[in-house]
Amino acid sequence: MILGLSFALVCALGTNLSSLFKARGAVLARPIRVRHPLRSATNLFRQRWFAIGWILALFAWGLHIEALARAPLSSVQVVLSGGLVFLAVLAERFFGYHLTRRQWLGVTLTAAGLAVIGVTATAEGPQRSSLAALIAVETAILALGVGLVRISTRRDIEHRGEALLLAIAAGVLFGVSDVAIKYLTHAHGPVFGLLSPWTLTALISFVVSFYASARSLQIGLAIEVIAITSVAANLSAILGGILVFGEPIGSGAVGIIGRLLAFGLVIAGAALVPAPLRATSDHPAQPTVAR
């Protein structure tokens, strides 16, 4: 399990660095048009920074799959949520953002929560999952993500509200994909279980979250959007780990209490990080997104 969590830690670094690169490229691309998905994707990848970000994201995704195959889903996602620490440091040191005391408090709380989770970690037992719970959780979270995307298209919603809705939608849909991938890493069947409805579920969630995330980066504040997407993805995947795979919260009374407090610290820290970060230079003009 330690190796899996190590993969998750490196994945967290790569994921957040790639998100900052993608944010830099997304605001330079033409507005995403829902009716022209292929053209919109092409315009995004024509931006060098966005393309670099996605190459790095693919590497991080490979590490993520390895982590999911070797460690409990909830533990992997909590480590990934610690990527907010990397996000904060990288944003301030290399991308021209300034963190206030509130943001650094959030980083400290997140780091403390991760330390407690690491101390109270238990070895993963035999892989088990509930198909009924998998169907229920995946359906509910997928419906939530698609619903948020639909609400974001309303014309009476301002750009910042639209960006936040899309960031949450992208996050929960990434979570759907993570739960499905975790299930597939231990699945049996044709081509090691890849010929499965859950492969299709993971792909659909990934595609929708790709456009939702890119759109949110185009019209929202980069650090705020990235942080909210990360928190939503981690919380939905942690919930899936507990409900679908029966992953224990902890071992013994002390371990359970310690982990519950640690989860609270991670969530509280994540809530403090997103705003009000601001770039040292003027925020680039936000392009109008065609509906």
Side-chain angles (χ1 to χ4, degrees):
M1 185 176 74
I2 298 300
L3 182 59
L5 296 182
S6 299
F7 281 138
L9 188 62
V10 179
C11 172
L13 173 60
T15 297
N16 285 282
L17 182 58
S18 72
S19 294
L20 289 167
F21 283 138
K22 287 186 289 183
R24 177 173 287 182
V27 296
L28 300 176
R30 293 181 180 179
I32 292 176
R33 296 181 180 272
V34 179
R35 296 181 180 180
H36 302 285
L38 294 180
R39 185 185 304 172
S40 296
T42 300
N43 289 333
L44 285 169
F45 283 104
R46 282 177 177 171
Q47 300 301 322
R48 179 182 60 180
W49 290 116
F50 191 90
I52 291 174
W54 267 98
I55 292 173
L56 183 57
L58 286 177
F59 172 73
W61 182 68
L63 292 176
H64 192 181
I65 293 177
E66 283 296 318
L68 290 173
R70 297 171 182 269
L73 176 59
S74 56
S75 296
V76 169
Q77 295 306 133
V78 170
V79 172
L80 291 179
S81 70
L84 290 176
V85 177
F86 295 130
L87 175 64
V89 174
L90 290 171
E92 185 170 81
R93 294 291 297 269
F94 303 106
F95 287 82
Y97 288 87
H98 172 69
L99 277 75
T100 64
R101 290 182 180 178
R102 171 182 168 175
Q103 278 72 59
W104 281 115
L105 175 61
V107 168
T108 302
L109 289 176
T110 301
L114 288 171
V116 173
I117 289 170
V119 171
T120 58
T122 57
E124 183 180 19
Q127 174 68 28
R128 58 190 179 88
S129 60
S130 167
L131 181 59
L134 180 66
I135 294 173
V137 170
E138 293 284 80
T139 301
I141 299 179
L142 184 61
L144 174 62
V146 173
L148 290 173
V149 172
R150 181 67 185 88
I151 294 172
S152 73
T153 62
R154 293 177 53 179
R155 295 185 178 277
D156 58 341
I157 296 179
E158 296 181 354
H159 276 322
R160 191 182 184 207
E162 180 183 351
L164 295 180
L165 286 171
L166 289 172
I168 297 172
V172 297
L173 290 172
F174 281 133
V176 169
S177 181
D178 290 342
V179 174
I181 290 172
K182 174 64 177 178
Y183 182 81
L184 290 170
T185 58
H186 294 275
H188 300 284
V191 195
F192 302 102
L194 293 180
L195 298 181
S196 164
W198 304 112
T199 304
L200 181 61
T201 301
L203 288 174
I204 291 174
S205 301
F206 178 80
V207 170
V208 177
S209 60
F210 168 82
Y211 288 104
S213 177
R215 243 181 119 177
S216 67
L217 289 171
Q218 282 190 330
I219 62 177
L221 299 175
I223 305 303
E224 182 176 79
V225 165
I226 295 170
I228 290 176
T229 299
S230 176
V231 171
N234 292 324
L235 290 180
S236 59
I238 288 171
L239 181 63
I242 295 172
L243 296 179
V244 177
F245 302 102
E247 295 175 357
I249 298 176
S251 177
V254 175
I256 292 175
I257 293 174
R259 280 209 146 197
L260 287 175
L261 291 175
F263 279 119
L265 286 175
V266 171
I267 293 172
L272 292 173
V273 171
L277 286 176
R278 63 181 183 275
T280 54
S281 58
D282 293 336
H283 192 278
Q286 301 299 335
T288 301
V289 177
R291 299 181 184 274

PDB file of all heavy atoms in Angstrom, residues 274-290:
ATOM      1  N   PRO A 274      -9.112  27.918  -2.020  1.00  0.00           N
ATOM      2  CA  PRO A 274      -9.499  28.469  -3.316  1.00  0.00           C
ATOM      3  C   PRO A 274      -9.489  29.976  -3.438  1.00  0.00           C
ATOM      4  O   PRO A 274      -9.016  30.506  -4.422  1.00  0.00           O
ATOM      5  CB  PRO A 274     -10.920  27.932  -3.514  1.00  0.00           C
ATOM      6  CG  PRO A 274     -10.954  26.691  -2.717  1.00  0.00           C
ATOM      7  CD  PRO A 274     -10.097  26.957  -1.532  1.00  0.00           C
ATOM      8  N   ALA A 275     -10.042  30.728  -2.522  1.00  0.00           N
ATOM      9  CA  ALA A 275     -10.170  32.170  -2.688  1.00  0.00           C
ATOM     10  C   ALA A 275      -9.744  32.855  -1.399  1.00  0.00           C
ATOM     11  O   ALA A 275      -9.811  32.262  -0.328  1.00  0.00           O
ATOM     12  CB  ALA A 275     -11.605  32.538  -3.045  1.00  0.00           C
ATOM     13  N   PRO A 276      -9.329  34.084  -1.448  1.00  0.00           N
ATOM     14  CA  PRO A 276      -9.268  34.986  -2.602  1.00  0.00           C
ATOM     15  C   PRO A 276      -7.876  35.117  -3.191  1.00  0.00           C
ATOM     16  O   PRO A 276      -7.280  36.182  -3.132  1.00  0.00           O
ATOM     17  CB  PRO A 276      -9.741  36.307  -2.015  1.00  0.00           C
ATOM     18  CG  PRO A 276      -9.201  36.257  -0.592  1.00  0.00           C
ATOM     19  CD  PRO A 276      -9.160  34.807  -0.197  1.00  0.00           C
ATOM     20  N   LEU A 277      -7.328  34.037  -3.742  1.00  0.00           N
ATOM     21  CA  LEU A 277      -6.055  34.130  -4.454  1.00  0.00           C
ATOM     22  C   LEU A 277      -6.174  35.090  -5.629  1.00  0.00           C
ATOM     23  O   LEU A 277      -7.192  35.147  -6.289  1.00  0.00           O
ATOM     24  CB  LEU A 277      -5.650  32.758  -4.983  1.00  0.00           C
ATOM     25  CG  LEU A 277      -5.125  31.738  -3.958  1.00  0.00           C
ATOM     26  CD1 LEU A 277      -4.878  30.432  -4.672  1.00  0.00           C
ATOM     27  CD2 LEU A 277      -3.874  32.219  -3.287  1.00  0.00           C
ATOM     28  N   ARG A 278      -5.131  35.832  -5.890  1.00  0.00           N
ATOM     29  CA  ARG A 278      -5.146  36.702  -7.057  1.00  0.00           C
ATOM     30  C   ARG A 278      -3.738  36.768  -7.633  1.00  0.00           C
ATOM     31  O   ARG A 278      -2.753  36.688  -6.900  1.00  0.00           O
ATOM     32  CB  ARG A 278      -5.639  38.104  -6.710  1.00  0.00           C
ATOM     33  CG  ARG A 278      -4.759  38.849  -5.713  1.00  0.00           C
ATOM     34  CD  ARG A 278      -5.344  40.231  -5.418  1.00  0.00           C
ATOM     35  NE  ARG A 278      -4.489  40.969  -4.523  1.00  0.00           N
ATOM     36  CZ  ARG A 278      -4.511  40.877  -3.210  1.00  0.00           C
ATOM     37  NH1 ARG A 278      -5.358  40.058  -2.632  1.00  0.00           N
ATOM     38  NH2 ARG A 278      -3.695  41.596  -2.468  1.00  0.00           N
ATOM     39  N   ALA A 279      -3.658  36.910  -8.925  1.00  0.00           N
ATOM     40  CA  ALA A 279      -2.357  36.978  -9.583  1.00  0.00           C
ATOM     41  C   ALA A 279      -1.696  38.300  -9.278  1.00  0.00           C
ATOM     42  O   ALA A 279      -2.354  39.313  -9.056  1.00  0.00           O
ATOM     43  CB  ALA A 279      -2.522  36.799 -11.091  1.00  0.00           C
ATOM     44  N   THR A 280      -0.378  38.307  -9.286  1.00  0.00           N
ATOM     45  CA  THR A 280       0.345  39.549  -9.064  1.00  0.00           C
ATOM     46  C   THR A 280       0.168  40.487 -10.236  1.00  0.00           C
ATOM     47  O   THR A 280       0.252  41.697 -10.103  1.00  0.00           O
ATOM     48  CB  THR A 280       1.843  39.269  -8.863  1.00  0.00           C
ATOM     49  OG1 THR A 280       2.316  38.499  -9.981  1.00  0.00           O
ATOM     50  CG2 THR A 280       2.071  38.464  -7.595  1.00  0.00           C
ATOM     51  N   SER A 281      -0.087  39.930 -11.404  1.00  0.00           N
ATOM     52  CA  SER A 281      -0.396  40.745 -12.578  1.00  0.00           C
ATOM     53  C   SER A 281      -1.876  40.718 -12.796  1.00  0.00           C
ATOM     54  O   SER A 281      -2.597  39.933 -12.205  1.00  0.00           O
ATOM     55  CB  SER A 281       0.323  40.189 -13.810  1.00  0.00           C
ATOM     56  OG  SER A 281      -0.058  38.859 -14.038  1.00  0.00           O
ATOM     57  N   ASP A 282      -2.363  41.608 -13.629  1.00  0.00           N
ATOM     58  CA  ASP A 282      -3.784  41.661 -13.900  1.00  0.00           C
ATOM     59  C   ASP A 282      -4.263  40.350 -14.460  1.00  0.00           C
ATOM     60  O   ASP A 282      -3.607  39.721 -15.268  1.00  0.00           O
ATOM     61  CB  ASP A 282      -4.099  42.793 -14.892  1.00  0.00           C
ATOM     62  CG  ASP A 282      -3.844  44.166 -14.281  1.00  0.00           C
ATOM     63  OD1 ASP A 282      -3.876  44.275 -13.033  1.00  0.00           O
ATOM     64  OD2 ASP A 282      -3.614  45.096 -15.063  1.00  0.00           O
ATOM     65  N   HIS A 283      -5.460  39.963 -14.031  1.00  0.00           N
ATOM     66  CA  HIS A 283      -6.047  38.713 -14.536  1.00  0.00           C
ATOM     67  C   HIS A 283      -6.367  38.896 -16.006  1.00  0.00           C
ATOM     68  O   HIS A 283      -6.915  39.922 -16.403  1.00  0.00           O
ATOM     69  CB  HIS A 283      -7.317  38.385 -13.735  1.00  0.00           C
ATOM     70  CG  HIS A 283      -7.818  37.021 -13.983  1.00  0.00           C
ATOM     71  ND1 HIS A 283      -8.590  36.697 -15.066  1.00  0.00           N
ATOM     72  CD2 HIS A 283      -7.629  35.857 -13.301  1.00  0.00           C
ATOM     73  CE1 HIS A 283      -8.893  35.413 -15.038  1.00  0.00           C
ATOM     74  NE2 HIS A 283      -8.317  34.887 -13.983  1.00  0.00           N
ATOM     75  N   PRO A 284      -6.042  37.944 -16.872  1.00  0.00           N
ATOM     76  CA  PRO A 284      -6.306  38.081 -18.279  1.00  0.00           C
ATOM     77  C   PRO A 284      -7.786  38.198 -18.558  1.00  0.00           C
ATOM     78  O   PRO A 284      -8.619  37.659 -17.841  1.00  0.00           O
ATOM     79  CB  PRO A 284      -5.751  36.772 -18.878  1.00  0.00           C
ATOM     80  CG  PRO A 284      -5.710  35.822 -17.734  1.00  0.00           C
ATOM     81  CD  PRO A 284      -5.440  36.647 -16.535  1.00  0.00           C
ATOM     82  N   ALA A 285      -8.102  38.941 -19.583  1.00  0.00           N
ATOM     83  CA  ALA A 285      -9.503  39.096 -19.948  1.00  0.00           C
ATOM     84  C   ALA A 285     -10.119  37.749 -20.246  1.00  0.00           C
ATOM     85  O   ALA A 285      -9.522  36.921 -20.910  1.00  0.00           O
ATOM     86  CB  ALA A 285      -9.617  40.003 -21.180  1.00  0.00           C
ATOM     87  N   GLN A 286     -11.321  37.539 -19.726  1.00  0.00           N
ATOM     88  CA  GLN A 286     -11.962  36.250 -19.888  1.00  0.00           C
ATOM     89  C   GLN A 286     -12.741  36.220 -21.201  1.00  0.00           C
ATOM     90  O   GLN A 286     -13.552  37.114 -21.444  1.00  0.00           O
ATOM     91  CB  GLN A 286     -12.912  35.975 -18.705  1.00  0.00           C
ATOM     92  CG  GLN A 286     -12.211  35.974 -17.366  1.00  0.00           C
ATOM     93  CD  GLN A 286     -11.163  34.909 -17.278  1.00  0.00           C
ATOM     94  OE1 GLN A 286     -11.210  33.892 -17.955  1.00  0.00           O
ATOM     95  NE2 GLN A 286     -10.169  35.137 -16.434  1.00  0.00           N
ATOM     96  N   PRO A 287     -12.534  35.238 -22.035  1.00  0.00           N
ATOM     97  CA  PRO A 287     -13.254  35.165 -23.280  1.00  0.00           C
ATOM     98  C   PRO A 287     -14.701  34.813 -23.048  1.00  0.00           C
ATOM     99  O   PRO A 287     -15.061  34.167 -22.071  1.00  0.00           O
ATOM    100  CB  PRO A 287     -12.549  34.021 -24.041  1.00  0.00           C
ATOM    101  CG  PRO A 287     -11.985  33.172 -22.951  1.00  0.00           C
ATOM    102  CD  PRO A 287     -11.620  34.111 -21.855  1.00  0.00           C
ATOM    103  N   THR A 288     -15.558  35.245 -23.916  1.00  0.00           N
ATOM    104  CA  THR A 288     -16.956  34.908 -23.828  1.00  0.00           C
ATOM    105  C   THR A 288     -17.155  33.504 -24.390  1.00  0.00           C
ATOM    106  O   THR A 288     -16.701  33.205 -25.480  1.00  0.00           O
ATOM    107  CB  THR A 288     -17.816  35.891 -24.653  1.00  0.00           C
ATOM    108  OG1 THR A 288     -17.577  37.202 -24.129  1.00  0.00           O
ATOM    109  CG2 THR A 288     -19.281  35.558 -24.540  1.00  0.00           C
ATOM    110  N   VAL A 289     -17.830  32.663 -23.622  1.00  0.00           N
ATOM    111  CA  VAL A 289     -18.011  31.279 -24.036  1.00  0.00           C
ATOM    112  C   VAL A 289     -19.342  31.126 -24.739  1.00  0.00           C
ATOM    113  O   VAL A 289     -20.388  31.479 -24.183  1.00  0.00           O
ATOM    114  CB  VAL A 289     -17.957  30.338 -22.814  1.00  0.00           C
ATOM    115  CG1 VAL A 289     -18.218  28.910 -23.249  1.00  0.00           C
ATOM    116  CG2 VAL A 289     -16.615  30.448 -22.127  1.00  0.00           C
ATOM    117  N   ALA A 290     -19.296  30.621 -25.943  1.00  0.00           N
ATOM    118  CA  ALA A 290     -20.525  30.421 -26.698  1.00  0.00           C
ATOM    119  C   ALA A 290     -21.316  29.285 -26.098  1.00  0.00           C
ATOM    120  O   ALA A 290     -20.768  28.283 -25.687  1.00  0.00           O
ATOM    121  CB  ALA A 290     -20.193  30.114 -28.160  1.00  0.00           C
TER     122      ALA A 290
END
